[in-house]
Each structure stands twice: as structure tokens, then as C-alpha cells.
Amino acid sequence: MNIAIVGVGLIGGSIGIRLKETDFCDRIIGVEKNESNQKKALQLGLVDEFLPLDEALKQCKIIVLTIPVDAIMAVLPGILDKLTDQVVIDMGSTKTNILQLIADHPNRGRYVAAHPMAGTEYSGPEAAVAGLFKGKVMVYVEAFKSDEDAFELADALTDQLEMKSSFMNADEHDMHTAYVSHISHLTSFALALTVLEKEKSQGRIFELAGSGFQSTVRLAKSSPDMWTPIFKQNRTNVLEVLEEHIHQLQNLYNKLEKEDYEGLHRLIKKSNKIKRIIK
Amino acid sequence: MNIAIVGVGLIGGSIGIRLKETDFCDRIIGVEKNESNQKKALQLGLVDEFLPLDEALKQCKIIVLTIPVDAIMAVLPGILDKLTDQVVIDMGSTKTNILQLIADHPNRGRYVAAHPMAGTEYSGPEAAVAGLFKGKVMVYVEAFKSDEDAFELADALTDQLEMKSSFMNADEHDMHTAYVSHISHLTSFALALTVLEKEKSQGRIFELAGSGFQSTVRLAKSSPDMWTPIFKQNRTNVLEVLEEHIHQLQNLYNKLEKEDYEGLHRLIKKSNKIKRIIK
């Protein structure tokens, strides 16, 4: 069995690296428009060869889409048109729009919507790492709409990646990712912009930056090509959580501005409840 | 030579652990109101014994203040009143108000204002760790106002902690820490509050939380007893940076709200310049 990885960057490349450690498939075929990324991916041994999409579809049983979500929207219907017994799995970070787009496609059953809750702030083939997925969660969205055998094949791939699995509907998925992933990126982007702006007049401002700052700002290294489409596809949820987050910041601002230190202390103490959730 | 550590929590306890590895001082004397923390600190071997402050002042050459900044404001003048040839070093995260408070004290020269750019989101004696300071920066503020021998003794302690040193004036220090430390805590507190609020109606929302979320929210575990006084003492700078940060978030919000995806992409790309600064 051959597998096609469409988009050999952080996610696609890391799948390639991991599958090469297993005997899950015979050949790993990359599909990638960017020639420089093709070269890098071959040098790094992320895939065995590159082929045009149509050729890859003919030769592969599994097609994995690891491209930005707007690119998934653009290519998925055309891929479904051409499928016979293959399965196509998208690994995008938003699901509602994608699922609506192909809801009535005659080959809907050959499609599995999945979202690996794994990643780093880096992108491109050089960012691919072995073990990126190990122990992480693969979220399946509307899995019940996939053909039994298509889902089983996707889940076999998830097993090879050493991931756990979880099931959600599309609305729930997109709202939850807005709250626990997309907003984190927006706060990092905004924090980076805030401090970079101040640096212009202050020069040495980053000398004192420690691990706390690094931790809150590191996601600001994330790719705009990947994230702009995510915010676009998940616009309603992202606007909701962003509005709520600005409200919380404004609340902290007001407490400090009015010198209501008891109120400020109370809010910080309330936020400490996050200890219950994160290690 | 004996050293007194006033406040044996994360910072004070970590100094104690490190100094025990060296022959820098004969005895490490803790000063701590909280009896439960005294017991823990002794069990963990962070200090040799606990004494009341006045007794510790008599027996020690160096007095290190590792208590919240409002507590430093409360005790520092009284400590300076009683000093002869000892040196008192405060390790607080804000400096302007503290330095103003004791600017005209006859024993001003015996005081060294220092800020170790090291820490974690944990607090209390259990949070103390060996090597917390290694390779980090100790910022001295208005060091030129300390007596030569007092500064040399403080700097010898910094050497024992295996830290590098840096010099700043108080305004610069407080503004820079607002931008690269205090704001990071505020964004984490607000992010935790945002998601904890949503959890009430959504339940499973944290299931999808990955390393990105953890990274941006981990500072929300920080102690309100430590951070409320920091925001109080650095109120003007913190309000400035918070206002600017809210403005940047609002800007991202507006771009998304108006579906100006080119503008959003441009802002994210601009924020990527943080790569230049952080690893």
C-alpha cells in the first residue's frame, strides 16, 4: 500500500518520518508545489518521491491532506471526484466549512475529517520531527459519515502515529479549538507586536526577557500562511473568544486603573484554577 | 559570614539551596512569618534555621529580601535604620517606588537593588529549585548609589548564583519588566479566565488543549500575593503596556471582523519578527 502526503511541511513531514519507521506502507509519495520544499523534503528523507497530485491519487490507497485549511477547501472536492476505493484524510485545524463543502458529495464516505492535536510554532519540511504525534490526541469529526473501511484505514494510520483518538461534532470541534488553540496564537501575535513596537523607541527592552515571556510569545513564530486561513475558516468562533479575551484584559485593566487591588487579587486567584487543568 | 534570607519561597529558597552547595557563607538564616512554610523549608533543607528579623540582622552580614514588593516597601526602611556594616539586597520585580522610598535614608549606601531575571510560575518553599539562577541575568538598579563594599558583596552573591549581571536605572527597569514580564502574566491570567469561563457551559473544552495552550497559560498559575503588589508598584507602566496590548488585540479583531485577510496576514507576518529575539 502506498500513501500520499499532500503538503510536506511540519505535519506532513512528521507523518512521513514516523511512517518510515514502520512497515505500514510500501511507498510514501509527496505532493508539493513548492520546489524548494520538495528538495528539502527529499534531502531530509521525509518522503520517497514527489509526484503530481493526479498521479499520486492513482498510486495511493490513502491520501493525507496536510496543507493550509483554505487549500484543503480548494482541492478536496476535486480529489473526491476522482476517488474509487481510496480514502482521503484532512488534518486541518477547522472543520465546519470543510464538512459543509463536501456534505453531499457522492464520495463523502471516502473522506475522514481528522485533526491531530500536535504541532509546534515552526513550519516547513525542516520543522518535521519524529515523535511529534506520540501520545497526542487525534480528533475525528463526524466520523460516522465516513465509510466503515475508510475510517478503519484512517484509524490504523492514527495507531501508527501512536496517537489516542477522540470524537466530536464539527461545531464543538471548531469552538473548542478557538478557545484552546486559536486564541493562544492570537495573544502571542499581539504580545509580539506590542513589545516589538516598544523596542523601536527603547532598544534594550528584550535584554530582560526571561522564560515567562518566551513561553507566552513563542507561538508568534507561527506561519501566517497557515494561520490566516484558520482564522478565516473559524471566524465566528475566533471573534467570540477574542472579544471575551479582550473583555477579561479590560477587566484587569479597570481593576488596576481604579486601584482596586482586592478585585485584582480576586481575579488572579480565580485564574489560578487553571492549575486543575494544566500540568 | 552568615546570610539572612527574608521570605523563604521560590526565590529565597532557591538561593538557600544554591548557597548550601558553596562555601560562600557559614550559616543561612531564614526569616519567615508563615510557620507552615518554616517547617517545609527546614524539611527541605533550604536554610539552617529560622530567627526573628531583628536577631537575624544582628547575626548576618548580608540580608536578602525575597518577599513580595509591598512587603519590601514595608520593612526596608526599618531594616536600614538598624544596619551598621551589613548590606541589604532586595530581589523585587519593581524598583522605582522602593528606591524613592529610601533615597534619602542615611544608610542608603548599605542597600543594593537587584532583580534576578529568573523564576517559575510556582511559589512557596516547595517551588525552590537548585540551579534556578544559573546563566540568568541579575539586574542591578542604581548600583552607583550603593557603597562600594556593599555592592561588591552583593555581586559576590550574584557570582555564587552563577548569574550574569546588567545595570539599569529604575525607570528603564520598571518599564522594561512591564513589557517583557508583567504583561505576559496579565495575558496568561486573562486567557485562563476566558477559557475557564467558557468551560462552565462547554465541559470538555480542555480536552483539546495542547502544548501551545499550556505555554501561553502556564503563568496563570502564579501567586496573586506576589503579583498584585507588582502590578500595584508598577501601575503606570503596566497600564501603558496593557492598553497597547489590548489595542493590538483589537486591531487583530477588526481585521478579522472586516474579513481583511491580507491585513491579518501582514500583522501575523510582522509579529514573526519575534524570531529575531527568542530562541
Side-chain angles (χ1 to χ4, degrees):
Chain A
M1 178 178 77
N2 297 335
I3 187 165
I5 298 175
V6 183
V8 186
L10 166 67
I11 299 294
S14 299
I15 292 173
I17 290 183
R18 169 60 192 155
L19 291 184
K20 284 208 169 181
E21 296 174 350
T22 71
D23 54 6
F24 184 66
C25 47
D26 300 310
R27 289 188 72 71
I28 303 171
I29 294 169
V31 177
E32 172 69 59
K33 282 183 188 167
N34 184 314
E35 284 190 23
S36 147
N37 281 354
Q38 281 193 17
K39 274 185 201 165
K40 285 181 205 159
L42 289 173
Q43 278 166 357
L44 293 165
L46 307 181
V47 297
D48 295 311
E49 66 179 313
F50 278 94
L51 288 177
L53 179 59
D54 281 350
E55 189 54 34
L57 293 183
K58 283 179 201 152
Q59 296 190 19
C60 295
K61 179 72 180 173
I62 301 178
I63 298 100
V64 183
L65 305 182
T66 47
I67 47 183
V69 285
D70 54 344
I72 293 173
M73 301 277 288
V75 302
L76 184 58
I79 290 176
L80 282 176
D81 290 344
K82 290 166 192 156
L83 293 195
T84 52
D85 68 338
Q86 305 102 303
V87 49
V88 57
I89 308 163
D90 99 282
M91 302 246 175
S93 296
T94 64
K95 295 299 182 211
T96 307
N97 291 351
I98 296 176
L99 283 161
Q100 271 170 10
L101 180 72
I102 52 78
D104 300 322
H105 195 285
N107 288 335
R108 167 65 184 88
R110 307 314 302 164
Y111 164 61
V112 179
H115 180 194
M117 300 310 300
T120 72
E121 63 274 36
Y122 304 105
S123 51
E126 311 91 320
V129 281
L132 180 66
F133 306 103
K134 191 170 181 171
K136 304 289 173 62
V137 176
M138 181 73 90
V139 184
Y140 295 113
V141 182
E142 291 190 1
F144 64 95
K145 291 192 180 169
S146 302
D147 294 344
E148 187 78 19
D149 71 299
F151 176 77
E152 290 303 328
L153 212 47
D155 205 39
L157 172 61
T158 296
D159 278 346
Q160 296 298 321
L161 300 177
E162 304 179 283
M163 301 182 80
K164 299 171 278 191
S165 42
S166 177
F167 296 86
M168 284 195 175
N169 67 43
D171 288 353
E172 197 183 16
H173 170 273
D174 282 10
M175 198 257 283
H176 289 200
T177 51
Y179 273 85
V180 296
S181 166
H182 305 172
I183 185 68
S184 289
H185 287 78
L186 286 165
T187 61
S188 276
F189 295 138
L191 190 55
L193 290 168
T194 302
V195 186
L196 286 165
E197 193 58 37
K198 193 68 180 177
E199 188 197 21
K200 289 184 190 166
S201 59
Q202 289 298 324
R204 297 172 66 194
I205 203 157
F206 287 108
E207 267 181 37
L208 301 192
S211 61
F213 179 73
Q214 294 226 8
S215 176
T216 47
V217 86
R218 74 172 176 85
L219 296 178
K221 295 191 272 184
S222 303
S223 160
D225 297 338
M226 177 178 166
W227 281 94
T228 307
I230 290 174
F231 298 137
K232 182 179 177 182
Q233 296 301 332
N234 204 15
R235 180 169 166 273
T236 308
N237 287 310
V238 169
L239 286 175
E240 178 192 304
V241 60
L242 195 46
E243 190 178 349
E244 175 61 20
H245 182 62
I246 290 171
H247 168 75
Q248 294 289 354
L249 280 168
Q250 193 65 52
N251 203 5
L252 291 166
Y253 183 97
N254 294 344
K255 292 276 184 287
L256 185 56
E257 209 272 326
K258 290 176 191 157
E259 306 199 55
D260 174 6
Y261 298 113
E262 274 182 41
L264 186 57
H265 189 282
R266 207 158 41 234
L267 285 176
I268 296 175
K269 193 160 185 177
K270 197 172 162 192
S271 82
N272 284 171
K273 289 187 182 164
I274 204 73
K275 287 178 191 173
R276 184 166 57 74
I277 312 297
I278 65 170
K279 277 164 257 164
Chain B
M1 180 177 77
N2 296 334
I3 187 166
I5 298 175
V6 183
V8 186
L10 167 67
I11 300 294
S14 298
I15 293 174
I17 290 183
R18 169 59 193 154
L19 290 184
K20 284 208 168 180
E21 295 174 352
T22 72
D23 53 7
F24 183 67
C25 46
D26 300 310
R27 289 188 72 73
I28 303 170
I29 294 168
V31 177
E32 173 68 59
K33 281 183 187 167
N34 184 314
E35 283 190 24
S36 146
N37 281 356
Q38 280 193 17
K39 273 186 202 164
K40 286 181 204 158
L42 288 173
Q43 278 165 358
L44 294 163
L46 307 180
V47 297
D48 295 311
E49 66 178 313
F50 280 93
L51 288 177
L53 179 59
D54 282 349
E55 188 55 34
L57 293 182
K58 283 180 202 153
Q59 296 190 18
C60 295
K61 177 73 179 173
I62 300 178
I63 298 99
V64 183
L65 305 182
T66 48
I67 47 182
V69 284
D70 55 343
I72 293 174
M73 300 278 286
V75 301
L76 183 57
I79 291 176
L80 282 176
D81 291 343
K82 291 168 192 156
L83 293 195
T84 52
D85 68 338
Q86 305 101 304
V87 50
V88 58
I89 309 163
D90 99 281
M91 301 248 176
S93 295
T94 64
K95 295 300 182 210
T96 307
N97 290 350
I98 295 175
L99 283 161
Q100 270 170 9
L101 180 71
I102 51 77
D104 300 321
H105 195 285
N107 288 334
R108 167 65 184 88
R110 306 314 301 164
Y111 164 62
V112 178
H115 181 193
M117 301 310 299
T120 72
E121 64 272 35
Y122 303 105
S123 51
E126 312 91 320
V129 280
L132 180 66
F133 305 104
K134 192 171 181 171
K136 305 289 173 62
V137 176
M138 181 73 89
V139 184
Y140 294 114
V141 183
E142 291 191 2
F144 63 95
K145 291 193 180 169
S146 302
D147 294 344
E148 187 77 19
D149 71 299
F151 176 76
E152 290 305 327
L153 211 48
D155 205 38
L157 172 62
T158 296
D159 277 347
Q160 296 297 322
L161 300 177
E162 304 179 284
M163 301 182 80
K164 299 173 279 193
S165 42
S166 178
F167 297 85
M168 284 196 174
N169 67 43
D171 288 354
E172 197 182 14
H173 170 273
D174 282 11
M175 198 256 281
H176 289 200
T177 50
Y179 273 84
V180 296
S181 166
H182 305 171
I183 185 66
S184 289
H185 286 77
L186 285 166
T187 61
S188 276
F189 295 138
L191 190 55
L193 290 168
T194 303
V195 186
L196 286 165
E197 193 58 37
K198 193 68 180 178
E199 189 198 21
K200 289 183 190 166
S201 59
Q202 289 298 324
R204 295 173 67 195
I205 204 156
F206 288 107
E207 266 180 38
L208 301 192
S211 60
F213 179 74
Q214 293 226 8
S215 177
T216 47
V217 86
R218 74 172 175 85
L219 296 179
K221 294 190 272 184
S222 303
S223 159
D225 297 338
M226 177 178 164
W227 281 94
T228 308
I230 290 175
F231 298 138
K232 181 178 177 182
Q233 296 302 331
N234 204 15
R235 181 169 165 272
T236 309
N237 287 308
V238 170
L239 286 175
E240 178 194 305
V241 60
L242 195 46
E243 191 177 349
E244 175 61 21
H245 181 62
I246 291 171
H247 169 75
Q248 293 289 355
L249 281 167
Q250 193 65 52
N251 203 7
L252 290 166
Y253 183 97
N254 294 344
K255 293 275 184 286
L256 185 57
E257 210 271 327
K258 289 176 192 157
E259 306 199 55
D260 174 5
Y261 298 114
E262 275 182 39
L264 186 59
H265 189 282
R266 208 160 39 237
L267 284 177
I268 296 174
K269 193 162 185 176
K270 198 172 162 192
S271 83
N272 285 171
K273 289 186 181 165
I274 203 73
K275 287 177 191 173
R276 184 166 57 74
I277 311 298
I278 66 169
K279 277 165 258 163

